[in-house]
Structure formats: C-alpha cells, structure tokens
Amino acid sequence: MKIFTKILSVVTLLGAILILSQGCKDPMQTDQIDDQFDRSEMLTDWADKIIIPSYTDYVQSLELLVEANTIFSTTKNSSTLSTLREYYLNAYKAWQVVSMFEIGKAEEVQIRNFTNIYPTDVDAILENISSEEVNLELPSNYDTQGFPAIDYLLFGLSSDDVDLMTQLDGEAGAYLTVLVDRLYTLSQVVLSDWNDGYRETFIDNDGSSATASVDKVVNDYLFYYEKFLRASKIGLPAGVFTGSELPRLVEAPYSRIYSKELLMHGFQASRDFFNGTASHGQSDAVSLSHYLDYIFESNAMPNVSSSIHTQWDVIETAISLLQDDLYSQVEEDNSVMLAAYDELQKNVIALKVDMMQALNIQVDYVDADGD
Amino acid sequence: MPMETSKQSLISRYFTSDRDAASLAFFRIGFGLLMFVSLVRFWALGWIDKLYLTPKFHFHYWGMDWVTVPGIYTYGLFAICGIAALMVSAGIRYRIAIILFFLSFTYIELMDKTTYLNHYYLISLLSFMLIWLPANCLYSVDAVKDKSLRSGRIPSWTIDSLKVMIAIVYIAAGLAKLNSDWLTRAMPLTLWLQGKSDLPLIGGLMHQSWVHYAFSWGGALYDLCIIPLLLVRRTRVFAFSLVVIFHVMTRVLFPIGMFPFIMIFCSLLFFAPSIHRQILDWLGERMGFAMAKWQTDSILSQSLFLSVSQVVIIAFLVVQVVFPLRSHFLTDNVYWTERGYRYSWRVMLMEKTGYANFKIQNTRTGKRFYVDNGDFLTGFQQKQMATQPDFIIEYGQYLGRHFESQGHQHVGVFVESYVALNGRPSQQYIDPQVDLMQIDYKSLVESHILQFDE
C-alpha cells in the first residue's frame, strides 16, 4: 500500500497545483514583467492614440455630413450639393481609417456590413425608395445602404446635376437622409461604447490567448488588409479572382474620381496602424512594428518589421501610379492595377506568415487540440 | 546455472513466464474510461460538427480516398465508439468491443487528416494491440460470467508489449528532439513560450532565453530518460512524479487536450502488478463489489489465439521500431518536406506558418484567376493545408476538378506558397511553375517542393 499511497499523494498534490495555478493570478507578476514587451501598453496606445481618436474623427465627419444633408434637403442648389458631396467624401475617407477595427461593439453591430458593402444594388435601392417600410437591419439590405448607396444617390441617379437634384427632392432624398442618419447612429453607438467602458475591457484583455485583444485586433487587421484593402479595392475590379476585368466593382463607382483616394486612405491607415502612427497631435503609439522589433532584438529572430517597412514604400509607389479614377484605370490599362495588387500581396505574406509566426498568433484561430 | 544457457532458452523462458493479470485489467479499465471521456469531450466541444461536418472537402491519407464522412451519421459513429470504449472498460464482450473501438476510432481519424495528432495515432495503435491481448481475464464482466476465462496470471509478454509501445513513443520522441533547431536555437519553444507572460507563477520567466533552452533540453532529456527511470524500481516513484510534472506543464502551456492524462495513465503500467491490484481492489470495494470473487491463481491456458497473438504483436512492435526511422533514409529535411514526419512521434518539434494562394490558369490561353480558399476550406483546414505539401497537392487537384466541372477548359492549377519554419524568414515552398494537376501524388515523388534554405 505504501507505493500506492505515494502515487496518490503525487497525483493529488500536482492536481492541486494545476487547479491553483489556473485559478488565481499571481500578484507578484506585475513586478516581474518590467523588462519585457508590455502588451497592455500597446493596447492602451491602440485605444487612446489610434482607435478612439480615429472613431472620434469619423463620428465628427458624419456629424458634418448630417448637417450638410439637412441644409441640402431644404435648399437644393449647386453649392449645397457640392458641400454635401464634399462632406460625403470626407466621411468616406474617415471611414477607411476605422474600418479595420471590427471589434467590440463594431463587431456586434456589424458596422462594416452596414457601412461599406459594394457593389451597391441599384435595383434594390430603387425598390427601397418606393416602398413604404424598409428594414435596413436585414442582411439582405447590406448592399442598399452605407457609403456605396450614398455614392449612387449623390452621383449616379442622374448624370445631370439639375436632374439629380430634382430626383432628390422626392422619396430618394428621404432615403438619402435615412442612410446618412443611420451611418451617424451606428458610428455613435460604437464610439460611445469605447468611451463607456469598452476601452478598459479591451486593455485588460491583454493575454496571449486566441480571445485576447492583441490576437483579435491582429486578426481583424489582417482580415481587413487582405480582404477589404487588397481584394475589394483592387483585386476584384482588376479581375484577379475571376479572370475578367470588372471595373464596376471599384469602390465609389458613381463618383468615380474618388476611388484612388479612398484606396490610398485605406492603405495609409493599414500602414499607420502597423507603425503606430498616431492620429493627429499625439505622440506615436507602440504598435506591431515595435512588438516585432522587440522580438527581433530579444531572440535573434529575422527582422520582420524592416522588410514590411520597405514593402510599404513599394506599395505606396505602385498605388501612386494609378489614375484617380480606378474605373477607367481598369478599362484603359489594367496592368497598373495588377502591379499594385502584386505589391500589396507581398506584404500579405510578410504579415500573415512572418509576422504571425514571430508574434505567435494563430490566423483564424480554431479551437482544437494540438500535440 | 550452466554457462551454456543459450539465448534461445532465455527467450523461450521469458515467453512462457507469467505475471499477475491485474496489470492488463487495470490498463483495460483505465484506457476504456479515458477514451470514453475523450469522446464525450470531443462531442461536447462541438468538434464533430466543426471538424467533420462543416468542411465541404476532406483531406485523405495516402491510399485512403475511399474513407468518407458519413454526414449526420458521424454522430452515430462517435456514439458507437464511445459505447465500445465503455464496454472495453467494463470488460463486456471485450473482444468484440475492442475490435469495434479500434475500427470506429481509426475510421474517425481517417476521415480527415487535417486533425492528425500523434496521440490519436497512439490510441489507434494501443487499441489494435489490445485486440490481441487477454485483458478481460480479470476484473471484467466477461470473467464473472465465464469461469473458464477467469485467470489470475497471464503471459508476461502480454503486459510488457504495451510497455514496449510506450517506450517506443518516448524514445523516438526524444531522439527526434536531438536536432539543431531544438537544441541550438531552442525552436520552436522560443516562439511558443515568449508570449506566455500572462501565465501565473511562471509567466515572468517565459520571455527569458535561458528558459527556452532549459525547456528544450529538459524536454529532450525527459523523453530519453523517463523509460529507464520507470523501469528501475528504486527510481519509479520519482519518475512518475516527473511524468506528472512534465505533462501537467504541457497541459498548462499548450492546447494539448487529453494527451497528458493518457500519458500519465500509461506510465502507471510500469508499476508492479501488486499496485494495480491494490488500486483495483480499493476502487472495487468502494464501489461495492465483492472483490474476493476475483481472486484466482489459475494461469491463462495456452491457446491457438494466444500463439497467433504473440506472432502478431511481435511483428507489430518490430514495425513500430522501424517505421518512425524511415525519414532517416531520405536526404531531404523532414521538417520542410514532411516526408516521414507523421507516425514517427515528432511531437511539438516545429512551428510552421504558411500561406498558399492558388491560381487557376487556362493552359492554352494563359487567362488566370485566383481562388479564395475560404470558399472551400475551413480556417483550420486552410492553416494545416498551407504548410503541408501533400495537403497542397490534394487541395490543388480538387480545385482543378471543381473548376473543370464548372466548364473551365484546360485547367492548370498553380500555387504561390510561402512557409516560415521555426522562426526563419518565410521562403517560397512549392514550385510556382509546376501545374499541380500534372502531379501524381500517389507516387510519393516530391520534386515540386522547393529546396529548403537554412
């Protein structure tokens, strides 16, 4: 019985250690992590210097859009129309900066699905305009609202501004107001959640598990970069996934001339987030670039961030070669689009393979056993 | 004893020697219960749906294309497997139950190699061995019902063969760790441990380089030494504490499921039969069984089945010793090409991150487009696919056939793939010029894998 008792006590003891070690946090831990990369500092910077300021900008840009629309709805002339269009563009650009942060309330309300799904469905929009009641919260209405639908209403209803204003005098104008107001409401919901406690939740969740903030943000970031920046803004219209050029798939195809500007803003936002470039007036944030540098220095690993930095410059050059109007760029010389796509693609590999390995973050984490 | 005692007689004396049947009964009961718990856990976590029913496409093992996922009946398959595990544990119609368990469990594993884990493979092997072993002679419903079956002593080799299997796992795993990445770069543990600073107690150490090396060297030493330490009586309790510490550590650090518990349990097999008997009697009494009924000194009688079993088990173990070594007959880097990687106890040896972008091209006109892998594979499948050549080929050919069936002509499938291995910069993986449709992946010739650059 002696050995048996020993076995039993070993199992019990270690079982107890296991349970205790999983159950409580070590109060001494904060003293021990001085000399290592501080994830919670990075999360604080992300929240305070990048995400919340960018969302604040976005909400303000929509406030101005709502205002311009109110003025336009009472007084329709070429001046109020051009102001409205200008604020539409500004808000759309501000959206590009926050689109990647589909986390917390933004994820819950699916803000991206209700803000920027294109191509917009013109037939469905016209149907919505003429129907009594429209439920814009239905997934079937993703592509009848948001900026792409506003782009159609402000630029696509008619090629003649006078005619366009006449049309916006009726139910189309009312629909425009509904869309603008809805964008504003959604943005407010997300921002106020950040200000009313989500910021703290976000920062406190500073672990390394798959549900921790760093993992989630990085996955969201990659998802944005790969799908919404690389594929939607360039790949799809350039025919990368279909083999045939589809210029009507560019972003904002009715105003046309803004498509490159929107792309540039999306790209710049991706780059800024990686570098930790803060939104106006703040000192720069600690971000992925610094995290990678820390790992590079402390573990003699390959310098992932420097190769990503180099590629950002190459991408910027490739995008700058595009015409303002990506629609005609695809029609006239698609090879410039494909070249820009290829350069964006190179950083997909650097971000998704090299960065993810260095940070030990799983892409699209699936809960399953390993060995 | 005369000097001329030949090896032959030593061997034959060993094979006619017998031991307390309680050891094997102990193993049978515990194994069955652990398997049952594992299956219930798998089911409860929703993994049947997530890993087998959700995917539209499944990756097959070489030569196992005939295995299909039986749709909603997969739940039935798991149910059968779970019931069989309980029957094994209780020793009810043991032989039928263990055959059923082996077949259903192995079939489940064969359905999609995305889920391959060394410990699932080990369970298939152990359950195969148990088919041939007299594990129901004692402490089983079978032995209560059938007095002729009830035996207190069984041939020694029937118990030792399981120990040999466990020893192969540990020693092969230890030898596999004696490579330069593991020993001189502390990879991949450096990658895995550095982010674990949020762990209680030990979190603060996890970013220190010496800790990564200590874990690497300690792990290799553990794997290589644990069997001798378990075999020697004087070090056995110490060795068992090591087993528990080691596996509890891996459980805390990594998402490793039931494996630590299975290995801790298996190590108990190395204790003396009297311990097993004590544990079983102790448990039995608490559960209200009349344990005296189980006492018998009779020796399991020799039978044709037992003779056949002996041949099967010996042949099986010889294969198990040789098979994990097969990659050493190849010149390529086993971590890069993964030829000979599976079924050879290479546990936690590499971190591979990959990316595979498939291009469908009309080989006549050159017109091309890219595939969104998310349209065909789950996230888990995409992740596994991107780092393993056989997955890339099988999926590429599936894509080719898919687009052919959609009316595309002269379909060529090309892949732009990049893999980072153990913290190195990513390198292009599969030759992007090779049309995957032209590869005979059954031939096992893998010239399409690009050279690994250290």
Side-chain angles (χ1 to χ4, degrees), chain A residues 88 103 121 139 158 164 180 202 215 242 269 314 329 331 341 344 370:
Chain A
Y88 147 80
I103 187 170
D121 187 340
S158 169
L164 186 125
V180 168
F202 176 80
D215 271 49
T242 48
V314 178
Q329 180 72 66
E331 286 187 320
Y341 178 87
L344 277 164

Side-chain angles (χ1 to χ4, degrees), chain A residues 1-8 10-11 14-15 17-18 20-26 29 32-37 39 206-209 212 226-227 230 239-245 291 294-295 298-304 338 341-342 345-346 348-350 352-354 356-371, chain B residues 41 45 47 50-51 116-120 187 190-201 203-205 207-209 212 233 237 240-241 244-245 248 251-252 255-259 261 264 268 271 275 278-279 282 346-348 351-355 357 367-372 379-380 382-383 416 418-426:
Chain A
M1 210 62 188
K2 206 174 141 221
I3 300 182
F4 171 50
T5 321
K6 276 188 194 169
I7 293 175
L8 225 110
V10 168
V11 173
L14 285 146
I17 292 174
L18 177 62
L20 281 174
S21 68
Q22 292 192 328
C24 66
K25 273 214 162 193
D26 178 13
Q29 198 193 338
Q32 295 169 355
I33 55 172
D34 293 343
D35 57 338
Q36 69 191 87
F37 190 82
R39 276 192 293 253
D206 62 350
S208 58
S209 74
E226 203 178 354
K227 186 156 183 174
R230 181 203 63 144
V240 170
F241 303 100
T242 48
S244 40
E245 297 155 11
Y291 198 177
Y294 165 78
I295 284 164
S298 59
N299 290 304
M301 299 253 292
N303 192 339
V304 178
L338 292 174
Y341 178 87
D342 287 344
Q345 175 68 16
K346 286 179 189 162
V348 170
I349 293 154
K352 210 171 176 178
V353 181
D354 298 77
M356 294 299 256
Q357 175 158 103
L359 303 185
N360 194 28
I361 295 175
Q362 304 293 325
V363 178
D364 295 331
Y365 180 83
V366 181
D367 167 38
D369 287 340
D371 73 4
Chain B
R41 170 175 175 268
L45 288 169
W47 289 353
K50 192 147 73 183
L51 299 176
Y116 172 82
L117 291 181
N118 284 294
H119 82 259
Y120 291 152
M187 282 290 180
T190 298
L191 288 172
W192 292 336
L193 295 178
Q194 67 187 357
K196 302 277 180 196
S197 54
D198 53 320
L199 279 176
L201 301 167
L205 296 172
H207 66 289
Q208 308 249 12
S209 197
H212 309 150
R233 223 191 108 128
V237 172
F240 181 69
S241 331
V244 176
I245 293 170
V248 165
R251 182 77 173 85
V252 172
I256 204 167
M258 294 292 291
F259 183 58
F261 306 115
I264 290 171
L268 286 173
F271 281 93
I275 307 280
Q278 281 170 16
I279 297 174
W282 182 77
R346 294 170 201 278
V347 186
M348 317 209 74
E351 172 64 29
K352 254 179 158 180
T353 313
Y355 178 83
N357 195 22
K367 213 164 122 76
R368 66 187 172 101
F369 61 91
Y370 286 92
V371 174
D372 181 350
F380 185 48
Q382 288 183 53
K383 177 177 178 263
E416 291 156 8
Y418 292 82
V419 166
L421 173 62
N422 283 350
R424 293 182 184 82
S426 57

Side-chain angles (χ1 to χ4, degrees), chain B residues 94-295:
Chain B
Y94 170 72
R95 201 73 61 190
I96 295 168
I98 187 67
I99 290 173
L100 205 59
F101 177 82
F102 166 72
L103 292 177
S104 55
F105 187 87
T106 307
Y107 190 89
I108 289 168
E109 292 319 308
L110 291 177
M111 290 194 304
D112 194 332
K113 69 179 169 187
T114 314
T115 57
Y116 172 82
L117 291 181
N118 284 294
H119 82 259
Y120 291 152
Y121 175 55
L122 175 62
I123 285 162
S124 276
L125 298 184
L126 289 174
S127 57
F128 175 79
M129 291 177 77
L130 281 172
I131 292 174
W132 305 94
L133 302 179
N136 58 338
C137 294
L138 218 53
Y139 299 102
S140 74
V141 174
D142 287 352
V144 172
K145 286 186 175 166
D146 179 2
K147 275 194 174 173
S148 67
L149 186 69
R150 196 183 308 162
S151 319
R153 300 189 71 80
I154 51 174
S156 305
W157 66 264
T158 60
I159 301 163
D160 289 338
S161 60
L162 289 171
K163 296 186 200 169
V164 172
M165 189 63 239
I166 306 298
I168 291 170
V169 173
Y170 272 115
I171 292 168
L175 291 175
K177 287 188 174 70
L178 303 182
N179 69 69
S180 61
D181 271 12
W182 186 272
L183 297 176
T184 67
R185 299 176 60 234
M187 282 290 180
L189 284 182
T190 298
L191 288 172
W192 292 336
L193 295 178
Q194 67 187 357
K196 302 277 180 196
S197 54
D198 53 320
L199 279 176
L201 301 167
I202 49 172
L205 296 172
M206 286 296 127
H207 66 289
Q208 308 249 12
S209 197
W210 68 266
V211 174
H212 309 150
Y213 280 92
F215 273 56
S216 295
W217 285 69
L221 209 62
Y222 166 82
D223 280 348
L224 290 169
C225 299
I226 197 66
I227 293 298
L229 290 174
L230 280 168
L231 283 171
V232 176
R233 223 191 108 128
R234 287 187 53 191
T235 53
R236 201 170 285 151
V237 172
F238 166 70
F240 181 69
S241 331
L242 279 185
V243 170
V244 176
I245 293 170
F246 178 83
H247 288 290
V248 165
M249 281 292 276
T250 59
R251 182 77 173 85
V252 172
L253 289 170
F254 309 111
I256 204 167
M258 294 292 291
F259 183 58
F261 306 115
I262 292 166
M263 290 315 276
I264 290 171
F265 169 72
C266 284
S267 70
L268 286 173
L269 202 56
F270 287 83
F271 281 93
S274 57
I275 307 280
H276 302 137
R277 200 172 267 277
Q278 281 170 16
I279 297 174
L280 291 178
D281 286 345
W282 182 77
L283 286 172
E285 276 159 23
R286 259 152 201 73
M287 291 167 72
F289 293 120
M291 297 315 288
K293 257 176 41 180
W294 308 87
Q295 303 307 331

Side-chain angles (χ1 to χ4, degrees), chain A residues 69-352:
Chain A
N69 183 56
T70 314
I71 294 167
F72 177 74
S73 61
T74 51
T75 321
K76 289 190 175 57
N77 57 44
S78 61
S79 152
T80 55
L81 177 62
S82 89
T83 310
L84 180 59
R85 284 171 168 173
E86 189 191 327
Y87 286 126
Y88 147 80
L89 177 65
N90 286 340
Y92 209 167
K93 289 195 290 196
W95 162 252
Q96 305 296 332
V97 183
V98 297
S99 173
M100 69 181 81
F101 305 116
E102 189 93 343
I103 187 170
K105 205 62 163 182
E107 187 181 17
E108 193 189 314
V109 302
Q110 303 181 53
I111 193 165
R112 188 160 50 207
N113 282 337
F114 290 115
T115 302
N116 197 23
I117 294 298
Y118 57 94
T120 199
D121 187 340
V122 172
D123 291 338
I125 289 176
L126 295 176
E127 203 177 299
N128 285 353
I129 288 173
S130 57
S131 24
E132 287 283 297
E133 205 152 321
V134 179
N135 182 356
L136 288 176
E137 290 183 9
L138 294 176
S140 57
N141 271 325
Y142 285 160
D143 56 0
T144 63
Q145 59 186 304
F147 290 108
I150 298 174
D151 187 63
Y152 170 72
L153 294 175
L154 290 186
F155 298 91
L157 270 179
S158 169
S159 53
D160 175 56
D161 281 359
V162 178
D163 181 38
L164 186 125
M165 282 189 276
T166 316
Q167 292 204 41
L168 285 176
D169 227 358
E171 282 158 340
Y175 191 61
L176 174 64
T177 303
V178 170
L179 297 188
V180 168
D181 289 349
R182 178 161 164 75
L183 280 182
Y184 181 50
T185 314
L186 281 170
S187 70
Q188 273 185 315
V189 166
V190 174
L191 179 62
S192 55
D193 191 53
W194 274 100
N195 288 329
D196 296 342
Y198 182 66
R199 174 192 173 274
E200 286 68 33
T201 314
F202 176 80
I203 293 168
D204 288 344
N205 189 7
D206 62 350
S208 58
S209 74
T211 50
S213 293
V214 174
D215 271 49
K216 288 199 72 175
V217 170
V218 169
N219 266 298
D220 285 349
Y221 172 68
L222 276 190
F223 189 63
Y224 171 79
Y225 183 86
E226 203 178 354
K227 186 156 183 174
F228 294 93
L229 182 69
R230 181 203 63 144
S232 296
K233 291 185 201 293
I234 298 192
L236 285 167
V240 170
F241 303 100
T242 48
S244 40
E245 297 155 11
L246 299 163
R248 62 178 188 84
L249 294 188
V250 299
E251 195 170 23
Y254 299 99
S255 51
R256 286 184 63 154
I257 49 162
Y258 301 134
S259 42
K260 176 187 173 181
E261 203 173 344
L262 295 171
L263 163 68
M264 203 47 144
H265 267 77
F267 163 69
Q268 200 56 48
S270 306
R271 181 187 196 162
D272 285 350
F273 178 73
F274 178 82
N275 292 346
T277 307
S279 182
H280 50 80
Q282 307 242 25
S283 63
D284 280 353
V286 173
S287 194
L288 295 173
S289 177
H290 309 89
Y291 198 177
L292 286 169
D293 287 341
Y294 165 78
I295 284 164
F296 163 63
E297 281 155 22
S298 59
N299 290 304
M301 299 253 292
N303 192 339
V304 178
S305 71
S306 80
S307 58
I308 293 174
H309 283 305
T310 313
Q311 187 59 24
W312 289 138
D313 291 337
V314 178
I315 296 168
E316 188 172 17
T317 311
I319 292 178
S320 68
L321 295 174
L322 295 164
Q323 302 177 15
D324 285 346
D325 176 2
L326 298 183
Y327 193 110
S328 55
Q329 180 72 66
V330 171
E331 286 187 320
E332 287 163 26
D333 185 2
N334 194 38
S335 69
V336 192
M337 287 286 274
L338 292 174
Y341 178 87
D342 287 344
E343 297 307 336
L344 277 164
Q345 175 68 16
K346 286 179 189 162
N347 254 1
V348 170
I349 293 154
L351 293 167
K352 210 171 176 178

